[in-house]
């Protein structure tokens, strides 16, 4: 089995998205302790921001007319696609930055879309867990309801466009402990984080069992 994990937080220490994702991964490892884990840390090693326009430009000219830079960008996009398509399960952890998607996560997604394989629901049926950490509160009825422009986009891209079997785990009010003006929200923030950790553990275990069952079914079909 192969788990592909993507992290987008620019923080390592104190990152709630990483902490929740770690919980998910530990639950997965209970069932797959010796299986491969491929990790792409976009927060620590961002993709080159100029790669996407080069890959797009390469698609507009004949292959023999592409520049070396365009060829390199196309190769990068293809390699990124290979990583994702080869995985049995996918775990993506990201914070909400400035009410939107992390820049380097968006670059990764944009590059994937330049790969022709990603235009026809390439992740159909594949279990994908999306872990999102939000510093504030964006639930219905809150002052900033509707300000989260990342979660709806990510749901549509991975669930509708890529066709994944998507689970979303959200921890919000993660800044309550460090922002004095949010002191009265600390209890709610702690409860949200605890629920995210619980759901991450449950989902990691469930996805591990699901993937194992699919592999077993495939092996039996091969024998038959």
């Amino acid at each position: 089995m192969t788990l592909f994990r993507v992290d987008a937080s620019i923080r390592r220490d104190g990152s709630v998205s990483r902490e929740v994702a770690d919980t998910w991964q530990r639950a997965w490892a209970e069932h797959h302790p010796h299986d491969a884990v491929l990790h792409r840390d976009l927060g620590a090693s961002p993709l080159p921001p100029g790669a996407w326009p080069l890959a797009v430009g390469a698609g507009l000219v004949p292959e023999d007319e592409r520049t070396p830079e365009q060829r390199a960008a196309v190769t990068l996009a293809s390699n990124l696609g290979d990583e994702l398509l080869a995985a049995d399960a996918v775990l993506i952890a990201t914070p909400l930055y400035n009410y939107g998607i992390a820049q380097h996560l968006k670059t990764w997604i944009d590059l994937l879309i330049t790969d022709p394989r990603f235009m026809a629901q390439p992740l159909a049926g594949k279990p994908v867990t999306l872990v999102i950490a939000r510093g504030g509160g964006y639930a219905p009825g809150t002052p900033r309801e509707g300000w989260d422009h990342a979660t709806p986009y990510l749901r549509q891209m991975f669930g509708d466009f890529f066709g994944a079997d998507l689970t979303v785990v959200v921890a919000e009010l993660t800044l309550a402990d460090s922002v004095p003006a949010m002191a009265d929200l600390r209890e709610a923030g702690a409860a949200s984080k605890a629920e995210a950790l619980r759901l991450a553990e449950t989902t990691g275990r469930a996805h591990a069992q699901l993937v194992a069952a699919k592999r077993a079914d495939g092996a039996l079909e091969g024998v038959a």
Side-chain angles (χ1 to χ4, degrees):
M1 308 295 176
T2 300
L3 169 65
F4 181 44
R5 173 172 170 175
V6 178
D7 279 289
S9 176
I10 60 175
R11 300 173 64 196
R12 299 193 68 84
D13 297 334
S15 167
V16 174
S17 65
R18 291 180 186 271
E19 180 182 354
V20 175
D22 287 344
T23 298
W24 190 105
Q25 187 172 335
R26 282 193 296 270
W28 165 275
E30 291 175 7
H31 293 269
H32 304 289
H34 305 298
D35 291 338
V37 177
L38 179 62
H39 186 201
R40 180 167 286 279
D41 194 334
L42 297 172
S45 301
L47 296 168
W52 175 68
L54 286 168
V56 171
L60 302 177
V61 297
E63 186 172 354
D64 60 356
E65 294 181 13
R66 293 174 181 173
T67 67
E69 293 78 12
Q70 288 175 328
R71 292 177 185 276
V74 169
T75 298
L76 173 60
S78 180
N79 291 340
L80 295 174
D82 289 344
E83 290 177 343
L84 187 53
L85 293 175
D88 294 287
V90 181
L91 172 62
I92 301 169
T94 182
L96 178 71
Y97 283 146
N98 301 321
Y99 311 112
I101 185 173
Q103 172 186 325
H104 27 280
L105 181 60
K106 182 63 162 57
T107 298
W108 178 66
I109 294 171
D110 285 342
L111 278 167
L112 288 173
I113 295 174
T114 66
D115 185 328
R117 296 174 295 176
F118 280 78
M119 298 305 293
Q121 294 200 322
L123 304 183
K126 182 170 295 190
V128 175
T129 302
L130 178 63
V131 173
I132 301 177
R134 306 191 297 216
Y138 303 88
T142 61
R144 292 198 171 162
E145 176 185 357
W147 283 47
D148 174 2
H149 300 287
T151 304
Y153 168 81
L154 291 169
R155 281 183 178 273
Q156 288 184 320
M157 290 306 301
F158 285 95
D160 298 334
F161 192 73
F162 291 156
D165 179 5
L166 186 65
T167 300
V168 180
V169 178
V170 177
E172 66 174 16
L173 300 171
T174 62
L175 290 177
D177 284 339
S178 58
V179 177
M182 297 176 66
D184 59 339
L185 296 172
R186 288 174 183 169
E187 184 175 345
S192 178
K193 180 179 175 180
E195 175 60 18
L197 291 169
R198 184 199 66 78
L199 181 57
E201 183 175 5
T202 301
T203 304
R205 187 175 296 115
H207 282 193
Q209 294 170 339
L210 173 65
V211 168
K214 285 183 176 180
R215 278 295 179 92
D217 288 344
L220 290 174
E221 289 175 5
V223 171

